[in-house]
Tab-separated table of all heavy atoms in Angstrom:
chain	number	residue	atom	x	y	z
A	429	TYR	N	-20.672	5.667	128.172
A	429	TYR	CA	-19.284	5.231	127.958
A	429	TYR	C	-18.726	5.783	126.649
A	429	TYR	O	-17.576	6.244	126.589
A	429	TYR	CB	-19.257	3.696	127.951
A	429	TYR	CG	-17.914	3.124	127.552
A	429	TYR	CD1	-16.837	3.169	128.424
A	429	TYR	CD2	-17.728	2.538	126.306
A	429	TYR	CE1	-15.590	2.639	128.065
A	429	TYR	CE2	-16.512	2.009	125.935
A	429	TYR	CZ	-15.441	2.074	126.814
A	429	TYR	OH	-14.233	1.551	126.430
A	430	VAL	N	-19.527	5.720	125.580
A	430	VAL	CA	-19.063	6.242	124.293
A	430	VAL	C	-18.804	7.737	124.377
A	430	VAL	O	-17.790	8.232	123.851
A	430	VAL	CB	-20.117	5.928	123.208
A	430	VAL	CG1	-19.768	6.641	121.903
A	430	VAL	CG2	-20.179	4.430	122.961
A	431	ASN	N	-19.680	8.476	125.063
A	431	ASN	CA	-19.455	9.912	125.216
A	431	ASN	C	-18.154	10.209	125.957
A	431	ASN	O	-17.384	11.111	125.613
A	431	ASN	CB	-20.618	10.551	125.952
A	431	ASN	CG	-21.881	10.641	125.104
A	431	ASN	OD1	-21.791	10.627	123.876
A	431	ASN	ND2	-23.030	10.714	125.728
A	432	SER	N	-17.894	9.420	127.033
A	432	SER	CA	-16.633	9.598	127.783
A	432	SER	C	-15.426	9.302	126.928
A	432	SER	O	-14.409	10.009	126.987
A	432	SER	CB	-16.644	8.699	129.024
A	432	SER	OG	-17.719	9.039	129.887
A	433	GLU	N	-15.508	8.260	126.109
A	433	GLU	CA	-14.377	7.917	125.224
A	433	GLU	C	-14.153	9.016	124.183
A	433	GLU	O	-13.000	9.351	123.859
A	433	GLU	CB	-14.658	6.591	124.521
A	433	GLU	CG	-14.487	5.368	125.400
A	433	GLU	CD	-13.013	5.100	125.713
A	433	GLU	OE1	-12.125	5.652	125.052
A	433	GLU	OE2	-12.755	4.349	126.661
A	434	ILE	N	-15.222	9.584	123.694
A	434	ILE	CA	-15.078	10.657	122.700
A	434	ILE	C	-14.435	11.892	123.330
A	434	ILE	O	-13.546	12.527	122.753
A	434	ILE	CB	-16.449	10.997	122.085
A	434	ILE	CG1	-16.945	9.832	121.217
A	434	ILE	CG2	-16.361	12.270	121.247
A	434	ILE	CD1	-18.352	10.018	120.700
A	435	VAL	N	-14.895	12.240	124.548
A	435	VAL	CA	-14.321	13.395	125.236
A	435	VAL	C	-12.840	13.157	125.526
A	435	VAL	O	-11.977	14.052	125.321
A	435	VAL	CB	-15.083	13.677	126.541
A	435	VAL	CG1	-14.370	14.732	127.386
A	435	VAL	CG2	-16.502	14.144	126.220
A	436	ALA	N	-12.490	11.939	125.977
A	436	ALA	CA	-11.095	11.609	126.251
A	436	ALA	C	-10.257	11.656	124.980
A	436	ALA	O	-9.117	12.133	124.981
A	436	ALA	CB	-11.012	10.232	126.903
A	437	ALA	N	-10.807	11.160	123.873
A	437	ALA	CA	-10.067	11.169	122.607
A	437	ALA	C	-9.841	12.607	122.118
A	437	ALA	O	-8.768	12.949	121.616
A	437	ALA	CB	-10.815	10.367	121.564
A	438	ARG	N	-10.881	13.454	122.270
A	438	ARG	CA	-10.726	14.844	121.858
A	438	ARG	C	-9.674	15.579	122.715
A	438	ARG	O	-8.868	16.349	122.206
A	438	ARG	CB	-12.054	15.560	121.957
A	438	ARG	CG	-13.079	15.137	120.933
A	438	ARG	CD	-14.369	15.927	121.073
A	438	ARG	NE	-14.150	17.351	120.905
A	438	ARG	CZ	-15.091	18.281	121.087
A	438	ARG	NH1	-16.300	17.916	121.468
A	438	ARG	NH2	-14.819	19.557	120.905
A	439	ALA	N	-9.726	15.310	124.004
A	439	ALA	CA	-8.744	15.956	124.899
A	439	ALA	C	-7.331	15.478	124.570
A	439	ALA	O	-6.377	16.263	124.566
A	439	ALA	CB	-9.093	15.647	126.350
A	440	ALA	N	-7.200	14.170	124.295
A	440	ALA	CA	-5.871	13.641	123.978
A	440	ALA	C	-5.352	14.177	122.653
A	440	ALA	O	-4.154	14.425	122.502
A	440	ALA	CB	-5.914	12.108	123.941
A	441	ALA	N	-6.256	14.376	121.701
A	441	ALA	CA	-5.838	14.883	120.399
A	441	ALA	C	-5.374	16.332	120.469
A	441	ALA	O	-4.601	16.788	119.616
A	441	ALA	CB	-6.983	14.771	119.394
A	442	ASN	N	-5.814	17.065	121.485
A	442	ASN	CA	-5.423	18.468	121.620
A	442	ASN	C	-4.039	18.652	122.227
A	442	ASN	O	-3.481	19.758	122.182
A	442	ASN	CB	-6.441	19.228	122.477
A	442	ASN	CG	-7.768	19.412	121.762
A	442	ASN	OD1	-7.796	19.447	120.539
A	442	ASN	ND2	-8.847	19.493	122.523
A	443	ILE	N	-3.488	17.619	122.862
A	443	ILE	CA	-2.197	17.706	123.523
A	443	ILE	C	-1.108	17.191	122.589
A	443	ILE	O	-1.144	16.023	122.173
A	443	ILE	CB	-2.194	16.907	124.825
A	443	ILE	CG1	-3.292	17.439	125.774
A	443	ILE	CG2	-0.827	16.982	125.508
A	443	ILE	CD1	-3.429	16.652	127.043
A	444	VAL	N	-0.157	18.066	122.221
A	444	VAL	CA	0.964	17.662	121.360
A	444	VAL	C	2.114	17.093	122.185
A	444	VAL	O	2.752	16.105	121.821
A	444	VAL	CB	1.440	18.848	120.528
A	444	VAL	CG1	2.624	18.455	119.629
A	444	VAL	CG2	0.290	19.385	119.689
A	445	GLY	N	2.432	17.748	123.302
A	445	GLY	CA	3.533	17.306	124.136
A	445	GLY	C	3.713	18.245	125.311
A	445	GLY	O	2.880	19.120	125.568
A	446	PHE	N	4.842	18.067	126.022
A	446	PHE	CA	5.140	18.854	127.193
A	446	PHE	C	6.542	19.442	127.072
A	446	PHE	O	7.444	18.832	126.515
A	446	PHE	CB	5.069	17.993	128.454
A	446	PHE	CG	3.729	17.301	128.627
A	446	PHE	CD1	3.559	16.004	128.202
A	446	PHE	CD2	2.672	17.964	129.229
A	446	PHE	CE1	2.358	15.363	128.363
A	446	PHE	CE2	1.456	17.328	129.381
A	446	PHE	CZ	1.288	16.025	128.951
A	447	VAL	N	6.712	20.656	127.632
A	447	VAL	CA	8.025	21.314	127.674
A	447	VAL	C	8.550	21.223	129.089
A	447	VAL	O	7.895	21.692	130.041
A	447	VAL	CB	7.937	22.787	127.224
A	447	VAL	CG1	9.293	23.462	127.381
A	447	VAL	CG2	7.461	22.840	125.781
A	448	GLN	N	9.696	20.591	129.256
A	448	GLN	CA	10.310	20.447	130.566
A	448	GLN	C	11.495	21.399	130.678
A	448	GLN	O	12.289	21.543	129.745
A	448	GLN	CB	10.788	19.004	130.775
A	448	GLN	CG	9.678	17.983	130.833
A	448	GLN	CD	10.198	16.589	131.109
A	448	GLN	OE1	11.410	16.354	131.027
A	448	GLN	NE2	9.300	15.673	131.429
A	449	ARG	N	11.644	22.056	131.856
A	449	ARG	CA	12.734	22.986	132.099
A	449	ARG	C	13.551	22.435	133.252
A	449	ARG	O	13.059	22.293	134.371
A	449	ARG	CB	12.195	24.372	132.428
A	449	ARG	CG	13.285	25.425	132.556
A	449	ARG	CD	12.704	26.792	132.466
A	449	ARG	NE	13.748	27.798	132.468
A	449	ARG	CZ	13.586	29.058	132.119
A	449	ARG	NH1	12.387	29.464	131.706
A	449	ARG	NH2	14.566	29.925	132.154
Side-chain angles (χ1 to χ4, degrees):
Y429 172 73
V430 171
N431 288 337
S432 298
E433 284 289 344
I434 292 174
V435 171
R438 290 181 60 185
N442 289 332
I443 301 176
V444 179
F446 304 95
V447 175
Q448 294 183 348
R449 186 163 185 164

